[in-house]
Amino acid sequence: MAAEKLGSRPVDRILVTGGAGFIGSNFVHHVVRNTDLSVTVLDKLTYAASREAIDALPEDRVELVVGDVADATLVDKLFSDHDAAVHFAAESHNDNSLHDPAPFIQTNIVGTFTLLEAARRHDVRLHHVSTDEVYGDLDLDDPKRFTEDTPYNPSSPYSASKAGSDHLVRAWVRSFGVRATISNCSNNYGPWQHIEKFIPRMITNLVDGVPPKVYGDGLNVRDWIHADDHSSAVLRILEQGRVGETYLIGADGERTNLQVVTALLRLFGRSEDDIEFVTDRAGHDRRYAIESGKLRAELGWSPRFQDFEAGLADTVDWYRRHEDWWRPHKQATEAFYAAKGQ
Ligand code: NAD
Ligand code: TDX
């Protein structure tokens, strides 16, 4: 693909915030593999980042700038040099937001505000990456799924901060004409996800012979999508999405947490009796489910990973092969959970 035309101006270098995180780094790989675009990553390298995830990429295609999305001077300089930006940077873990919400407000709300002001000054095309959690939750037996018209109803400090950032984007589009789009995606899985999150925590417990720890009754439903499918959808929206629009991203992957853990136990040759039920998450959302028909019909997108159990098996293999990467973080991650009876 030659230099892209994203809106009014030709673009050959895009800015990706949070590009050293789980999904952001996957997106950077996706862009390098599938386009001629070059990428500047802006990432603060918090505990959740993995420099290793983007280290192997060619230096002439990917540059890392270590810095904060809430640093207005730095952001203004970067936006003056780029015509398009994709905003992944965030504090992203619900359990952390219940422990200490402050960084969630600072990065997710003040950080997004800082980018919007720079996008406004420099007329930069912006894609804002958000989550289905802004819609709250659904009952287990509700036939409905989330759509672009579902009212916002966030439950946790994390999802409220993401909802706040979405509202800022919508207001900057309407009041200032910022050329922005928003996507709200369901739960991602795949390589480089921090071991604080559900699937990697369960896999690394099983590697260690420790029981998987399931919150509450384990019947909560998440709608799983491979991170690479999230990336392809974001790139499609950046290239072809209509400014001012929101697109929901999902791959019809609804599973209860117990179904996911049972599939993992099977992959490790272990019995379902090994599951340990632990203290539930405060305000724990019951079910998320995405209706992604608008994205599929309007932009012709579809997911590549259609078989969740096969994707899960690949992910288990990846974590087995990358123990050097996650092992140094396992003890501290488990100590955080143990202190909460989880
Ligand atoms: P992550 O926690 O793995 O990565 C976040 C990245 O942002 C890290 O590299 C971190 O260093 C960086 N970052 C944090 N604060 C920063 C700051 N102030 N300035 C610059 N960089 C900063 O998160 P993720 O799971 O990859 O999620 C990426 C985005 O996708 C988030 O906006 C999240 O809300 C959204 N999202 C995630 C999921 C999911 O299942 N993980 C689903 C839907 C949407
Ligand atoms: O040890 C655990 N045991 C457990 O039962 C952990 C860490 C989680 N869970 C449950 C809680 C949820 O029902 O598993 C489910 C998934 O939990 P997380 O991986 O923490 O994800 P979730 O809270 O659903 O949020 C994720 O998807 C939406 C991402 O972390 C968010 O960034 C994204 O916006």
mmCIF file of all heavy atoms in Angstrom, residues 171-218:
data_model
loop_
_atom_site.group_PDB
_atom_site.id
_atom_site.type_symbol
_atom_site.label_atom_id
_atom_site.label_comp_id
_atom_site.label_asym_id
_atom_site.label_seq_id
_atom_site.Cartn_x
_atom_site.Cartn_y
_atom_site.Cartn_z
ATOM 1 N N ALA A 171 -17.267 15.855 21.763
ATOM 2 C CA ALA A 171 -17.457 17.305 21.891
ATOM 3 C C ALA A 171 -16.471 18.071 21.015
ATOM 4 O O ALA A 171 -16.826 19.087 20.407
ATOM 5 C CB ALA A 171 -17.297 17.714 23.354
ATOM 6 N N TRP A 172 -15.209 17.590 20.933
ATOM 7 C CA TRP A 172 -14.202 18.288 20.117
ATOM 8 C C TRP A 172 -14.519 18.141 18.620
ATOM 9 O O TRP A 172 -14.204 19.008 17.834
ATOM 10 C CB TRP A 172 -12.794 17.774 20.444
ATOM 11 C CG TRP A 172 -12.044 18.637 21.434
ATOM 12 C CD1 TRP A 172 -10.885 19.306 21.185
ATOM 13 C CD2 TRP A 172 -12.387 18.926 22.799
ATOM 14 N NE1 TRP A 172 -10.490 20.002 22.311
ATOM 15 C CE2 TRP A 172 -11.389 19.788 23.314
ATOM 16 C CE3 TRP A 172 -13.447 18.563 23.646
ATOM 17 C CZ2 TRP A 172 -11.412 20.279 24.621
ATOM 18 C CZ3 TRP A 172 -13.471 19.050 24.942
ATOM 19 C CH2 TRP A 172 -12.474 19.893 25.413
ATOM 20 N N VAL A 173 -15.162 17.036 18.249
ATOM 21 C CA VAL A 173 -15.603 16.879 16.850
ATOM 22 C C VAL A 173 -16.693 17.908 16.557
ATOM 23 O O VAL A 173 -16.635 18.662 15.583
ATOM 24 C CB VAL A 173 -16.141 15.455 16.592
ATOM 25 C CG1 VAL A 173 -16.854 15.379 15.245
ATOM 26 C CG2 VAL A 173 -15.009 14.428 16.649
ATOM 27 N N ARG A 174 -17.683 17.925 17.445
ATOM 28 C CA ARG A 174 -18.856 18.766 17.164
ATOM 29 C C ARG A 174 -18.551 20.257 17.298
ATOM 30 O O ARG A 174 -18.949 21.060 16.459
ATOM 31 C CB ARG A 174 -20.000 18.362 18.102
ATOM 32 C CG ARG A 174 -21.187 19.255 17.924
ATOM 33 C CD ARG A 174 -22.471 18.631 18.318
ATOM 34 N NE ARG A 174 -23.535 19.636 18.237
ATOM 35 C CZ ARG A 174 -24.801 19.368 18.321
ATOM 36 N NH1 ARG A 174 -25.193 18.119 18.482
ATOM 37 N NH2 ARG A 174 -25.698 20.317 18.265
ATOM 38 N N SER A 175 -17.847 20.631 18.376
ATOM 39 C CA SER A 175 -17.652 22.069 18.640
ATOM 40 C C SER A 175 -16.483 22.666 17.886
ATOM 41 O O SER A 175 -16.494 23.851 17.567
ATOM 42 C CB SER A 175 -17.438 22.298 20.138
ATOM 43 O OG SER A 175 -18.567 21.882 20.857
ATOM 44 N N PHE A 176 -15.437 21.848 17.644
ATOM 45 C CA PHE A 176 -14.220 22.412 17.046
ATOM 46 C C PHE A 176 -13.898 21.812 15.679
ATOM 47 O O PHE A 176 -12.883 22.151 15.077
ATOM 48 C CB PHE A 176 -13.012 22.202 17.981
ATOM 49 C CG PHE A 176 -13.197 22.806 19.359
ATOM 50 C CD1 PHE A 176 -13.064 22.013 20.498
ATOM 51 C CD2 PHE A 176 -13.498 24.151 19.523
ATOM 52 C CE1 PHE A 176 -13.233 22.557 21.760
ATOM 53 C CE2 PHE A 176 -13.665 24.706 20.787
ATOM 54 C CZ PHE A 176 -13.533 23.903 21.913
ATOM 55 N N GLY A 177 -14.712 20.864 15.227
ATOM 56 C CA GLY A 177 -14.460 20.270 13.908
ATOM 57 C C GLY A 177 -13.240 19.375 13.858
ATOM 58 O O GLY A 177 -12.675 19.144 12.780
ATOM 59 N N VAL A 178 -12.799 18.850 15.026
ATOM 60 C CA VAL A 178 -11.651 17.928 15.010
ATOM 61 C C VAL A 178 -12.034 16.695 14.196
ATOM 62 O O VAL A 178 -13.137 16.160 14.321
ATOM 63 C CB VAL A 178 -11.239 17.545 16.459
ATOM 64 C CG1 VAL A 178 -10.291 16.345 16.465
ATOM 65 C CG2 VAL A 178 -10.576 18.736 17.139
ATOM 66 N N ARG A 179 -11.094 16.226 13.352
ATOM 67 C CA ARG A 179 -11.356 15.086 12.458
ATOM 68 C C ARG A 179 -11.063 13.787 13.209
ATOM 69 O O ARG A 179 -9.987 13.215 13.073
ATOM 70 C CB ARG A 179 -10.515 15.197 11.189
ATOM 71 C CG ARG A 179 -10.908 16.381 10.302
ATOM 72 C CD ARG A 179 -10.098 16.427 9.022
ATOM 73 N NE ARG A 179 -8.692 16.677 9.270
ATOM 74 C CZ ARG A 179 -7.709 15.945 8.777
ATOM 75 N NH1 ARG A 179 -7.960 14.902 8.016
ATOM 76 N NH2 ARG A 179 -6.448 16.251 9.038
ATOM 77 N N ALA A 180 -12.030 13.371 14.052
ATOM 78 C CA ALA A 180 -11.791 12.194 14.894
ATOM 79 C C ALA A 180 -12.833 11.117 14.656
ATOM 80 O O ALA A 180 -13.970 11.396 14.267
ATOM 81 C CB ALA A 180 -11.791 12.596 16.367
ATOM 82 N N THR A 181 -12.405 9.872 14.896
ATOM 83 C CA THR A 181 -13.312 8.720 14.955
ATOM 84 C C THR A 181 -13.057 8.031 16.295
ATOM 85 O O THR A 181 -12.011 8.231 16.923
ATOM 86 C CB THR A 181 -13.031 7.725 13.808
ATOM 87 O OG1 THR A 181 -11.615 7.607 13.640
ATOM 88 C CG2 THR A 181 -13.654 8.173 12.504
ATOM 89 N N ILE A 182 -14.021 7.188 16.702
ATOM 90 C CA ILE A 182 -13.901 6.432 17.955
ATOM 91 C C ILE A 182 -14.211 4.974 17.644
ATOM 92 O O ILE A 182 -15.107 4.686 16.838
ATOM 93 C CB ILE A 182 -14.927 6.932 19.008
ATOM 94 C CG1 ILE A 182 -14.697 8.414 19.349
ATOM 95 C CG2 ILE A 182 -14.872 6.086 20.280
ATOM 96 C CD1 ILE A 182 -15.747 9.001 20.296
ATOM 97 N N SER A 183 -13.480 4.053 18.289
ATOM 98 C CA SER A 183 -13.914 2.652 18.257
ATOM 99 C C SER A 183 -14.027 2.136 19.680
ATOM 100 O O SER A 183 -13.245 2.503 20.557
ATOM 101 C CB SER A 183 -12.939 1.782 17.461
ATOM 102 O OG SER A 183 -11.626 1.900 17.960
ATOM 103 N N ASN A 184 -15.036 1.298 19.902
ATOM 104 C CA ASN A 184 -15.233 0.643 21.201
ATOM 105 C C ASN A 184 -15.152 -0.856 20.968
ATOM 106 O O ASN A 184 -16.000 -1.425 20.276
ATOM 107 C CB ASN A 184 -16.589 1.019 21.801
ATOM 108 C CG ASN A 184 -16.703 2.512 22.038
ATOM 109 O OD1 ASN A 184 -16.995 3.262 21.119
ATOM 110 N ND2 ASN A 184 -16.443 2.937 23.251
ATOM 111 N N CYS A 185 -14.115 -1.469 21.523
ATOM 112 C CA CYS A 185 -13.851 -2.888 21.247
ATOM 113 C C CYS A 185 -14.116 -3.733 22.492
ATOM 114 O O CYS A 185 -14.079 -3.244 23.618
ATOM 115 C CB CYS A 185 -12.396 -3.055 20.789
ATOM 116 S SG CYS A 185 -11.981 -4.720 20.228
ATOM 117 N N SER A 186 -14.333 -5.017 22.261
ATOM 118 C CA SER A 186 -14.536 -5.970 23.356
ATOM 119 C C SER A 186 -13.189 -6.494 23.864
ATOM 120 O O SER A 186 -12.137 -6.015 23.450
ATOM 121 C CB SER A 186 -15.407 -7.118 22.850
ATOM 122 O OG SER A 186 -14.769 -7.735 21.746
ATOM 123 N N ASN A 187 -13.225 -7.496 24.763
ATOM 124 C CA ASN A 187 -11.996 -8.001 25.404
ATOM 125 C C ASN A 187 -11.022 -8.619 24.408
ATOM 126 O O ASN A 187 -11.382 -9.520 23.656
ATOM 127 C CB ASN A 187 -12.346 -9.083 26.433
ATOM 128 C CG ASN A 187 -12.909 -8.498 27.705
ATOM 129 O OD1 ASN A 187 -13.947 -7.848 27.680
ATOM 130 N ND2 ASN A 187 -12.236 -8.741 28.809
ATOM 131 N N ASN A 188 -9.773 -8.176 24.468
ATOM 132 C CA ASN A 188 -8.720 -8.688 23.577
ATOM 133 C C ASN A 188 -7.906 -9.786 24.263
ATOM 134 O O ASN A 188 -7.699 -9.759 25.468
ATOM 135 C CB ASN A 188 -7.738 -7.570 23.232
ATOM 136 C CG ASN A 188 -8.274 -6.573 22.225
ATOM 137 O OD1 ASN A 188 -7.559 -6.146 21.337
ATOM 138 N ND2 ASN A 188 -9.538 -6.178 22.342
ATOM 139 N N TYR A 189 -7.400 -10.724 23.437
ATOM 140 C CA TYR A 189 -6.411 -11.683 23.921
ATOM 141 C C TYR A 189 -5.327 -11.820 22.861
ATOM 142 O O TYR A 189 -5.519 -11.418 21.703
ATOM 143 C CB TYR A 189 -7.052 -13.047 24.242
ATOM 144 C CG TYR A 189 -7.479 -13.823 23.019
ATOM 145 C CD1 TYR A 189 -6.656 -14.818 22.487
ATOM 146 C CD2 TYR A 189 -8.676 -13.539 22.357
ATOM 147 C CE1 TYR A 189 -7.026 -15.521 21.346
ATOM 148 C CE2 TYR A 189 -9.051 -14.229 21.217
ATOM 149 C CZ TYR A 189 -8.218 -15.220 20.712
ATOM 150 O OH TYR A 189 -8.576 -15.905 19.582
ATOM 151 N N GLY A 190 -4.180 -12.397 23.266
ATOM 152 C CA GLY A 190 -3.077 -12.579 22.324
ATOM 153 C C GLY A 190 -1.748 -12.317 23.012
ATOM 154 O O GLY A 190 -1.693 -12.125 24.229
ATOM 155 N N PRO A 191 -0.644 -12.293 22.225
ATOM 156 C CA PRO A 191 0.696 -12.096 22.769
ATOM 157 C C PRO A 191 0.879 -10.725 23.417
ATOM 158 O O PRO A 191 0.238 -9.764 23.023
ATOM 159 C CB PRO A 191 1.601 -12.202 21.540
ATOM 160 C CG PRO A 191 0.805 -12.898 20.515
ATOM 161 C CD PRO A 191 -0.624 -12.574 20.785
ATOM 162 N N TRP A 192 1.764 -10.647 24.379
ATOM 163 C CA TRP A 192 2.202 -9.406 25.031
ATOM 164 C C TRP A 192 1.160 -8.797 25.951
ATOM 165 O O TRP A 192 1.273 -7.633 26.334
ATOM 166 C CB TRP A 192 2.657 -8.345 24.012
ATOM 167 C CG TRP A 192 3.786 -8.737 23.119
ATOM 168 C CD1 TRP A 192 3.707 -8.971 21.782
ATOM 169 C CD2 TRP A 192 5.159 -8.946 23.482
ATOM 170 N NE1 TRP A 192 4.943 -9.310 21.276
ATOM 171 C CE2 TRP A 192 5.860 -9.306 22.295
ATOM 172 C CE3 TRP A 192 5.879 -8.870 24.680
ATOM 173 C CZ2 TRP A 192 7.225 -9.583 22.285
ATOM 174 C CZ3 TRP A 192 7.226 -9.146 24.662
ATOM 175 C CH2 TRP A 192 7.889 -9.495 23.479
ATOM 176 N N GLN A 193 0.104 -9.531 26.314
ATOM 177 C CA GLN A 193 -0.852 -8.959 27.286
ATOM 178 C C GLN A 193 -0.292 -9.145 28.691
ATOM 179 O O GLN A 193 0.178 -10.234 29.051
ATOM 180 C CB GLN A 193 -2.225 -9.640 27.174
ATOM 181 C CG GLN A 193 -3.269 -8.971 28.072
ATOM 182 C CD GLN A 193 -4.693 -9.437 27.802
ATOM 183 O OE1 GLN A 193 -4.910 -10.583 27.427
ATOM 184 N NE2 GLN A 193 -5.655 -8.556 28.020
ATOM 185 N N HIS A 194 -0.363 -8.099 29.492
ATOM 186 C CA HIS A 194 0.218 -8.146 30.845
ATOM 187 C C HIS A 194 -0.428 -9.265 31.660
ATOM 188 O O HIS A 194 -1.644 -9.479 31.563
ATOM 189 C CB HIS A 194 0.017 -6.795 31.542
ATOM 190 C CG HIS A 194 0.865 -6.629 32.761
ATOM 191 N ND1 HIS A 194 0.572 -7.219 33.960
ATOM 192 C CD2 HIS A 194 2.033 -5.947 32.933
ATOM 193 C CE1 HIS A 194 1.511 -6.899 34.842
ATOM 194 N NE2 HIS A 194 2.408 -6.132 34.247
ATOM 195 N N ILE A 195 0.374 -9.912 32.503
ATOM 196 C CA ILE A 195 -0.129 -11.086 33.251
ATOM 197 C C ILE A 195 -1.061 -10.708 34.404
ATOM 198 O O ILE A 195 -1.532 -11.579 35.119
ATOM 199 C CB ILE A 195 1.026 -11.968 33.775
ATOM 200 C CG1 ILE A 195 1.992 -11.126 34.618
ATOM 201 C CG2 ILE A 195 1.745 -12.645 32.600
ATOM 202 C CD1 ILE A 195 2.948 -11.980 35.436
ATOM 203 N N GLU A 196 -1.355 -9.422 34.577
ATOM 204 C CA GLU A 196 -2.406 -9.028 35.529
ATOM 205 C C GLU A 196 -3.790 -9.341 34.964
ATOM 206 O O GLU A 196 -4.758 -9.454 35.722
ATOM 207 C CB GLU A 196 -2.313 -7.523 35.816
ATOM 208 C CG GLU A 196 -2.680 -6.661 34.602
ATOM 209 C CD GLU A 196 -2.408 -5.187 34.771
ATOM 210 O OE1 GLU A 196 -2.014 -4.757 35.869
ATOM 211 O OE2 GLU A 196 -2.576 -4.446 33.775
ATOM 212 N N LYS A 197 -3.909 -9.452 33.640
ATOM 213 C CA LYS A 197 -5.211 -9.646 32.989
ATOM 214 C C LYS A 197 -5.617 -11.127 33.034
ATOM 215 O O LYS A 197 -4.779 -12.016 33.196
ATOM 216 C CB LYS A 197 -5.179 -9.143 31.549
ATOM 217 C CG LYS A 197 -4.803 -7.660 31.416
ATOM 218 C CD LYS A 197 -5.958 -6.747 31.725
ATOM 219 C CE LYS A 197 -5.636 -5.266 31.814
ATOM 220 N NZ LYS A 197 -4.749 -4.668 30.888
ATOM 221 N N PHE A 198 -6.905 -11.385 32.831
ATOM 222 C CA PHE A 198 -7.494 -12.700 33.088
ATOM 223 C C PHE A 198 -6.787 -13.857 32.363
ATOM 224 O O PHE A 198 -6.271 -14.788 33.004
ATOM 225 C CB PHE A 198 -8.971 -12.654 32.697
ATOM 226 C CG PHE A 198 -9.721 -13.938 32.875
ATOM 227 C CD1 PHE A 198 -9.729 -14.606 34.087
ATOM 228 C CD2 PHE A 198 -10.456 -14.478 31.818
ATOM 229 C CE1 PHE A 198 -10.444 -15.787 34.250
ATOM 230 C CE2 PHE A 198 -11.175 -15.649 31.974
ATOM 231 C CZ PHE A 198 -11.169 -16.307 33.187
ATOM 232 N N ILE A 199 -6.759 -13.822 31.034
ATOM 233 C CA ILE A 199 -6.233 -14.988 30.302
ATOM 234 C C ILE A 199 -4.743 -15.213 30.603
ATOM 235 O O ILE A 199 -4.346 -16.335 30.964
ATOM 236 C CB ILE A 199 -6.561 -14.889 28.791
ATOM 237 C CG1 ILE A 199 -8.077 -15.145 28.601
ATOM 238 C CG2 ILE A 199 -5.721 -15.856 27.959
ATOM 239 C CD1 ILE A 199 -8.573 -15.075 27.156
ATOM 240 N N PRO A 200 -3.892 -14.173 30.518
ATOM 241 C CA PRO A 200 -2.476 -14.421 30.850
ATOM 242 C C PRO A 200 -2.259 -14.829 32.312
ATOM 243 O O PRO A 200 -1.365 -15.622 32.600
ATOM 244 C CB PRO A 200 -1.798 -13.084 30.562
ATOM 245 C CG PRO A 200 -2.728 -12.355 29.669
ATOM 246 C CD PRO A 200 -4.101 -12.813 30.001
ATOM 247 N N ARG A 201 -3.084 -14.291 33.226
ATOM 248 C CA ARG A 201 -2.909 -14.701 34.626
ATOM 249 C C ARG A 201 -3.229 -16.189 34.787
ATOM 250 O O ARG A 201 -2.517 -16.927 35.471
ATOM 251 C CB ARG A 201 -3.802 -13.862 35.550
ATOM 252 C CG ARG A 201 -3.565 -14.205 37.007
ATOM 253 C CD ARG A 201 -4.391 -13.409 38.003
ATOM 254 N NE ARG A 201 -4.033 -13.809 39.354
ATOM 255 C CZ ARG A 201 -4.866 -13.843 40.385
ATOM 256 N NH1 ARG A 201 -6.117 -13.454 40.241
ATOM 257 N NH2 ARG A 201 -4.445 -14.255 41.567
ATOM 258 N N MET A 202 -4.324 -16.629 34.123
ATOM 259 C CA MET A 202 -4.707 -18.044 34.241
ATOM 260 C C MET A 202 -3.640 -18.940 33.597
ATOM 261 O O MET A 202 -3.279 -19.981 34.138
ATOM 262 C CB MET A 202 -6.064 -18.300 33.571
ATOM 263 C CG MET A 202 -7.234 -17.512 34.155
ATOM 264 S SD MET A 202 -7.509 -17.704 35.920
ATOM 265 C CE MET A 202 -6.946 -16.147 36.561
ATOM 266 N N ILE A 203 -3.129 -18.529 32.418
ATOM 267 C CA ILE A 203 -2.106 -19.346 31.730
ATOM 268 C C ILE A 203 -0.853 -19.465 32.600
ATOM 269 O O ILE A 203 -0.318 -20.566 32.802
ATOM 270 C CB ILE A 203 -1.735 -18.729 30.362
ATOM 271 C CG1 ILE A 203 -2.921 -18.793 29.393
ATOM 272 C CG2 ILE A 203 -0.511 -19.432 29.761
ATOM 273 C CD1 ILE A 203 -2.695 -18.062 28.062
ATOM 274 N N THR A 204 -0.394 -18.326 33.141
ATOM 275 C CA THR A 204 0.878 -18.363 33.886
ATOM 276 C C THR A 204 0.694 -19.067 35.233
ATOM 277 O O THR A 204 1.627 -19.692 35.727
ATOM 278 C CB THR A 204 1.464 -16.942 34.049
ATOM 279 O OG1 THR A 204 0.466 -16.066 34.597
ATOM 280 C CG2 THR A 204 1.919 -16.390 32.704
ATOM 281 N N ASN A 205 -0.507 -19.012 35.817
ATOM 282 C CA ASN A 205 -0.777 -19.844 37.001
ATOM 283 C C ASN A 205 -0.641 -21.318 36.643
ATOM 284 O O ASN A 205 -0.017 -22.094 37.365
ATOM 285 C CB ASN A 205 -2.207 -19.601 37.517
ATOM 286 C CG ASN A 205 -2.294 -18.408 38.457
ATOM 287 O OD1 ASN A 205 -1.351 -17.646 38.585
ATOM 288 N ND2 ASN A 205 -3.433 -18.253 39.107
ATOM 289 N N LEU A 206 -1.248 -21.690 35.505
ATOM 290 C CA LEU A 206 -1.225 -23.113 35.114
ATOM 291 C C LEU A 206 0.194 -23.584 34.805
ATOM 292 O O LEU A 206 0.564 -24.720 35.138
ATOM 293 C CB LEU A 206 -2.173 -23.343 33.930
ATOM 294 C CG LEU A 206 -3.663 -23.315 34.333
ATOM 295 C CD1 LEU A 206 -4.561 -23.174 33.111
ATOM 296 C CD2 LEU A 206 -4.035 -24.561 35.127
ATOM 297 N N VAL A 207 0.994 -22.703 34.196
ATOM 298 C CA VAL A 207 2.404 -23.057 33.959
ATOM 299 C C VAL A 207 3.081 -23.371 35.296
ATOM 300 O O VAL A 207 3.897 -24.295 35.412
ATOM 301 C CB VAL A 207 3.151 -21.903 33.233
ATOM 302 C CG1 VAL A 207 4.663 -22.116 33.261
ATOM 303 C CG2 VAL A 207 2.656 -21.757 31.798
ATOM 304 N N ASP A 208 2.702 -22.615 36.344
ATOM 305 C CA ASP A 208 3.325 -22.781 37.664
ATOM 306 C C ASP A 208 2.652 -23.867 38.508
ATOM 307 O O ASP A 208 3.018 -24.063 39.675
ATOM 308 C CB ASP A 208 3.266 -21.450 38.439
ATOM 309 C CG ASP A 208 4.330 -20.472 37.946
ATOM 310 O OD1 ASP A 208 5.206 -20.895 37.176
ATOM 311 O OD2 ASP A 208 4.279 -19.291 38.347
ATOM 312 N N GLY A 209 1.603 -24.502 37.951
ATOM 313 C CA GLY A 209 0.899 -25.529 38.722
ATOM 314 C C GLY A 209 0.015 -24.950 39.819
ATOM 315 O O GLY A 209 -0.360 -25.643 40.774
ATOM 316 N N VAL A 210 -0.310 -23.645 39.692
ATOM 317 C CA VAL A 210 -1.176 -22.957 40.672
ATOM 318 C C VAL A 210 -2.595 -22.939 40.112
ATOM 319 O O VAL A 210 -2.779 -22.768 38.896
ATOM 320 C CB VAL A 210 -0.663 -21.507 40.883
ATOM 321 C CG1 VAL A 210 -1.628 -20.685 41.705
ATOM 322 C CG2 VAL A 210 0.731 -21.527 41.507
ATOM 323 N N PRO A 211 -3.640 -23.109 40.958
ATOM 324 C CA PRO A 211 -5.008 -23.120 40.419
ATOM 325 C C PRO A 211 -5.377 -21.805 39.749
ATOM 326 O O PRO A 211 -4.987 -20.735 40.224
ATOM 327 C CB PRO A 211 -5.889 -23.304 41.663
ATOM 328 C CG PRO A 211 -4.997 -23.759 42.739
ATOM 329 C CD PRO A 211 -3.606 -23.312 42.414
ATOM 330 N N PRO A 212 -6.160 -21.861 38.665
ATOM 331 C CA PRO A 212 -6.727 -20.633 38.105
ATOM 332 C C PRO A 212 -7.678 -20.005 39.121
ATOM 333 O O PRO A 212 -8.432 -20.718 39.771
ATOM 334 C CB PRO A 212 -7.499 -21.115 36.875
ATOM 335 C CG PRO A 212 -7.316 -22.569 36.770
ATOM 336 C CD PRO A 212 -6.590 -23.068 37.969
ATOM 337 N N LYS A 213 -7.624 -18.675 39.250
ATOM 338 C CA LYS A 213 -8.429 -17.989 40.279
ATOM 339 C C LYS A 213 -9.584 -17.265 39.585
ATOM 340 O O LYS A 213 -9.364 -16.270 38.886
ATOM 341 C CB LYS A 213 -7.572 -16.965 41.016
ATOM 342 C CG LYS A 213 -6.197 -17.483 41.424
ATOM 343 C CD LYS A 213 -6.218 -18.048 42.811
ATOM 344 C CE LYS A 213 -4.803 -18.487 43.210
ATOM 345 N NZ LYS A 213 -4.668 -18.836 44.576
ATOM 346 N N VAL A 214 -10.785 -17.761 39.806
ATOM 347 C CA VAL A 214 -11.962 -17.217 39.119
ATOM 348 C C VAL A 214 -12.774 -16.375 40.099
ATOM 349 O O VAL A 214 -13.111 -16.827 41.191
ATOM 350 C CB VAL A 214 -12.802 -18.374 38.539
ATOM 351 C CG1 VAL A 214 -14.116 -17.856 37.981
ATOM 352 C CG2 VAL A 214 -12.007 -19.108 37.468
ATOM 353 N N TYR A 215 -13.099 -15.150 39.678
ATOM 354 C CA TYR A 215 -13.862 -14.235 40.535
ATOM 355 C C TYR A 215 -15.325 -14.683 40.620
ATOM 356 O O TYR A 215 -15.938 -15.017 39.578
ATOM 357 C CB TYR A 215 -13.872 -12.817 39.954
ATOM 358 C CG TYR A 215 -12.547 -12.090 39.903
ATOM 359 C CD1 TYR A 215 -12.472 -10.851 39.268
ATOM 360 C CD2 TYR A 215 -11.398 -12.607 40.473
ATOM 361 C CE1 TYR A 215 -11.284 -10.147 39.201
ATOM 362 C CE2 TYR A 215 -10.199 -11.910 40.409
ATOM 363 C CZ TYR A 215 -10.140 -10.683 39.777
ATOM 364 O OH TYR A 215 -8.966 -9.983 39.701
ATOM 365 N N GLY A 216 -15.890 -14.601 41.841
ATOM 366 C CA GLY A 216 -17.332 -14.833 42.024
ATOM 367 C C GLY A 216 -17.743 -16.215 41.567
ATOM 368 O O GLY A 216 -17.090 -17.210 41.886
ATOM 369 N N ASP A 217 -18.853 -16.285 40.789
ATOM 370 C CA ASP A 217 -19.353 -17.596 40.333
ATOM 371 C C ASP A 217 -18.803 -17.982 38.955
ATOM 372 O O ASP A 217 -19.124 -19.054 38.433
ATOM 373 C CB ASP A 217 -20.888 -17.621 40.321
ATOM 374 C CG ASP A 217 -21.492 -16.572 39.385
ATOM 375 O OD1 ASP A 217 -20.740 -15.962 38.592
ATOM 376 O OD2 ASP A 217 -22.717 -16.349 39.449
ATOM 377 N N GLY A 218 -18.011 -17.083 38.343
ATOM 378 C CA GLY A 218 -17.378 -17.421 37.063
ATOM 379 C C GLY A 218 -18.332 -17.371 35.876
ATOM 380 O O GLY A 218 -17.956 -17.732 34.764
#
